[in-house]
Structures are given as C-alpha cells and as structure tokens.
Amino acid sequence: MSANSNVPPPLDRFSQPDAGGHFGPYGGVFVPETLMTALKELGEAYDMARKDPAFVNELRRHLKEFAGRPTPLYFAERLTQLGGGAKIYLKREDLLHTGAHKINNALAQALLAKRMGKKRIIAETGAGQHGVATAAACAKFGLECVVYMGAHDMERQALNVFRMRLMGAEVRGVEAGQKTLKEAINEAMRDWVTNVRATHYILGTAYGSHPYPMMVRDFHRVIGIEAKEQILAREGRLPDELIACVGGGSNAIGLFFEFLEDPGVKMIGVEAGGHGIKRGEHAARFAGGRLGVLQGCKTFLLQDADGQIELTHSVSAGLDYAAVGPEHAFYRDRGRIQFAYATDDEVLETFQLCSRLEGIIPALESTHALVEGLKRAKTLSKDKVIIVNLSGRGDKDVQQVQAMLGKK
C-alpha cells in the first residue's frame, strides 16, 4: 500500500494468478468440498476489501500505529567491510511489533475476518512468529484465537509459546509425524473443516489454496514498496540484488514483488540446506524436490518416488517445511527468481557474525538470507548494492543457539 495513495496499488503484475489461483502450472485449489464455499467467500471478501479505501486506510493506520511501519533500510557497514565488496543493506522487518514481518499479514487478515463477521481465528505456526502476530492481532480486535504448533517446534520456541498464551491465544500442540509445521497445518485445516462457518483461518505464508498465496503476498507488498522508495532515496538508484529466506515464501515475495519488472535487479531466495542435500536432512525444495500437491496447493515439494512426503530438517523452525509457495515456483521457471540454500553450520556462524559486528541478533530464518548476502557481496564490486530482508529478530532463537553452540 503506497504511502502516496488512498487506494491499493494495481495487482495485475504478470496477470498472476489467474481466476483459478494458478501461477502457470502451480497453485490452484486442492481442498475438501467442505472448504470450497469458504474459500470462495474469502476470495470475494478480499476482492471487495482491497478495492475499498476505508479498509486500505484502516489497515495502513494499524500497520503504522500498532505494528510500527515503515521499517528502516539499514546500511550494515561492518558486514559490508567483512564482505569486502558490495554494500549490504538490511530491510529491518525485525523491528516490527511482535518481532517479524508476520504482523503485516496477521493484522490484515484479522481485519478481513471482522469484515466477514468471523469471530474465531485459527492459525498454524512453525517458529512461532506467525502465531505471536496472530495472537496480538486477535487480542487487539477482540477475536478468539487458537494456534496449532508442532510439539517439537513448541520445545524449540518455548518463548513464543508463552508469548501467545500471554496474549490470550490457546496453543494446541500437535504430536503427529515430525511434530513440526506440516503437521500443524494439517490440524488447522481439520479444525477449519469442522468449524468453517464461524472460523477464519489466518494462514501465515504465501502458500495453500487460492486466494491465500495471492492475498498473503499482497499484504506483504508493503515491504518491497518501502524498500524501493528507501533505496532510491539513499543511493539514487535501484539495488543490484535482493535476497530473502524462503520457507513458504511470504517475506521474500513481499520484498521481490515490487521489483519484478525491473530487469536489472537480481532476486535470490534462500532455502534451508540443513545438514546438506541428503534425504531427510534439509528443506531445500528446489534442490531436492519435484512437482506435487500438498495441503491445498500444487508446487515443488520434497517427496519420495511413491509421492510420500519426505522428512525435513532445518535449524530454523520457520523454514522446516516440505513445500514452497507456488508463485516462487512460477518465477523460478521463468528465470526471474533464483534460489540457493544455506546449511545449519553456515547459519550458526553468520548468526554470531551479525550479532557481533552489527549489534543485531537476527532470526535463524533471516540468517539464511544473510549467509547468501555475504557470499554474494564478496563476488561483487564495491559500487554494487544488495538488500537483504531481515525478516525477523532472533530473541526467540537465543536459547536454542546457546544450547547448540554449547554442544559444539
């Protein structure tokens, strides 16, 4: 939402998605019949809301006064010196209320739920940041809130579990499977099927059935809109490269979208390399996956020869997921977005570097993008400019990192 307009910016970039929610061969709607009416209702409600200046202006007000937008574009001088090449700027989504970019989407969908007359909210969460953002939005607007979270992730992110409960959310642990994000989404979808009339599901990333990938992308476009204005004001030109971590891909598509028609801007999404590209040891879908359908969406995912979902691993709970957002798969096919991955060891090293050199403790998810940012900066000349999306802060990860470093 541009600060210079009372209406949303045009959303027809590359005419994606189509009316059925397809980004080329990806996306679509793959859900039980019970949810088809709810998804159609949601799509119609969103289409009306995004054209309504009253909705747009109210959301803009909450993003400013409650969430803390705009976020700064910060020149990471000492990381730049370490790289020895391109300038590294950080888009500071970590400074938002609740600690990550997730609040952009949570506030917007909570407002949309109120507009639809839905008083009960459910959500899934991996690293807990979407859960915390949803709990905060529900507390602000007086909505009932239930958050599903894998039991393993609850152990890894105990601080965020307490934060959600402190704000009035009910956090339901999921014991099935790997006890991580995939299982949390499964349980949230089961809840939605059962309680669809009174409940809105605030999906936390640019994934799932239409209209979620489009809608979540649009609610995070503010990241790229701000970044473009800020870098033009600071450097007088566009950046050479944009880098963001990619789980489902909401922070990345939020940054990238405004630059898609700027051919001189290279875009790199960074997945979770885990222990390396071996089955069950990573969550890098483009490095080890193939086309399939999971949780309402056709996209790249990690699966075996029989189509069974493979185990995943990442040091970061927020990237530990077997599938990737369909819009990312579409732009990868077109050669517009490239993808890399960072391993756990690289992430732990860079987590400490950023903390020591910049006084900024990044989320483990965001640190994946920093790993690639430093690699790229070293290969580019000093007149080049990189923006890394610092999608969240690392308060939630400090105890986990302390334990892992202690073992090393």
Side-chain angles (χ1 to χ4, degrees), residues 108-169:
Q109 286 203 51
L111 275 179
L112 189 60
K114 284 189 64 179
R115 185 183 177 102
M116 296 168 66
K118 303 292 180 76
K119 297 181 179 180
R120 180 176 182 267
I121 299 297
I122 58 174
E124 88 297 331
T125 197
Q129 288 304 109
H130 173 59
V132 170
T134 301
C138 288
K140 177 174 176 55
F141 297 128
L143 301 169
E144 180 185 351
C145 182
V146 177
V147 179
Y148 289 92
M149 190 172 190
H152 179 51
D153 288 342
M154 290 180 72
E155 294 174 2
R156 291 197 281 185
Q157 300 294 341
L159 174 62
N160 275 345
V161 173
F162 181 71
R163 294 171 73 197
M164 285 182 265
R165 289 173 172 161
L166 194 61
M167 288 185 283

Side-chain angles (χ1 to χ4, degrees), residues 72-113:
L73 187 68
Y74 169 79
F75 175 49
E77 184 175 2
R78 297 193 69 202
L79 284 176
T80 297
Q81 291 171 353
L82 177 69
K87 293 181 179 179
I88 300 173
Y89 283 88
L90 307 180
K91 180 58 174 160
R92 297 292 305 277
E93 296 296 287
D94 60 309
L95 294 180
L96 286 170
H97 177 48
T98 71
H101 72 291
K102 297 292 188 181
I103 193 68
N104 302 324
N105 173 60
L107 277 174
Q109 286 203 51
L111 275 179
L112 189 60

Side-chain angles (χ1 to χ4, degrees), residues 87 227-228 230-241 259 382-386:
K87 293 181 179 179
K228 179 175 278 191
Q230 290 165 332
I231 198 66
L232 286 171
R234 187 71 180 264
E235 292 286 339
R237 67 181 185 88
L238 295 178
D240 297 285
E241 300 191 3
F259 296 85
K382 292 185 178 182
D383 62 335
K384 301 297 184 182
V385 174
I386 293 172

Side-chain angles (χ1 to χ4, degrees), residues 24-102:
Y26 307 106
V29 181
F30 297 86
V31 294
E33 188 67 27
T34 316
L35 292 180
M36 292 297 292
T37 299
L39 288 169
K40 182 180 178 182
E41 177 191 16
L42 178 59
E44 291 172 349
Y46 172 61
D47 190 54
M48 293 178 63
R50 71 190 179 101
K51 297 173 183 176
D52 182 355
F55 177 85
V56 173
N57 287 332
E58 184 179 5
L59 175 56
R60 183 181 295 128
R61 177 170 63 84
H62 292 308
L63 288 172
K64 178 181 179 181
E65 297 175 0
F66 185 71
R69 303 213 72 93
T71 60
L73 187 68
Y74 169 79
F75 175 49
E77 184 175 2
R78 297 193 69 202
L79 284 176
T80 297
Q81 291 171 353
L82 177 69
K87 293 181 179 179
I88 300 173
Y89 283 88
L90 307 180
K91 180 58 174 160
R92 297 292 305 277
E93 296 296 287
D94 60 309
L95 294 180
L96 286 170
H97 177 48
T98 71
H101 72 291
K102 297 292 188 181

Side-chain angles (χ1 to χ4, degrees), residues 14 16 22-27 253 256 260 267 269 271 285-287 289-292 298-301 324-339:
F14 291 103
Q16 296 298 323
H22 298 96
F23 299 87
Y26 307 106
I253 201 64
F256 295 163
L260 284 170
M267 304 177 191
E271 299 183 285
R285 290 64 50 100
F286 291 121
R290 56 193 177 90
L291 186 63
K298 180 187 286 187
T299 186
F300 262 77
L301 55 96
V324 66
E327 192 164 8
H328 286 288
F330 172 73
Y331 290 126
R332 176 183 180 267
D333 282 1
R334 293 181 63 140
R336 188 64 191 95
I337 302 176
Q338 300 176 26
F339 289 86

Side-chain angles (χ1 to χ4, degrees), residues 79 315-316 343-368 370-371 374 390 392-402 404-405:
L79 284 176
V315 69
S316 59
T343 65
D344 288 357
D345 286 344
E346 290 174 320
V347 167
L348 288 173
E349 179 183 357
T350 303
F351 181 92
Q352 296 172 81
L353 277 175
C354 185
S355 301
R356 290 171 182 166
L357 293 180
E358 295 293 347
I360 298 171
I361 302 175
L364 286 172
E365 291 77 18
S366 314
T367 309
H368 285 70
L370 282 171
V371 170
L374 278 169
L390 199 68
R393 62 177 176 256
D395 308 41
K396 65 184 180 62
D397 299 314
V398 169
Q399 287 183 315
Q400 182 189 357
V401 171
Q402 182 183 33
M404 287 186 291
L405 294 178

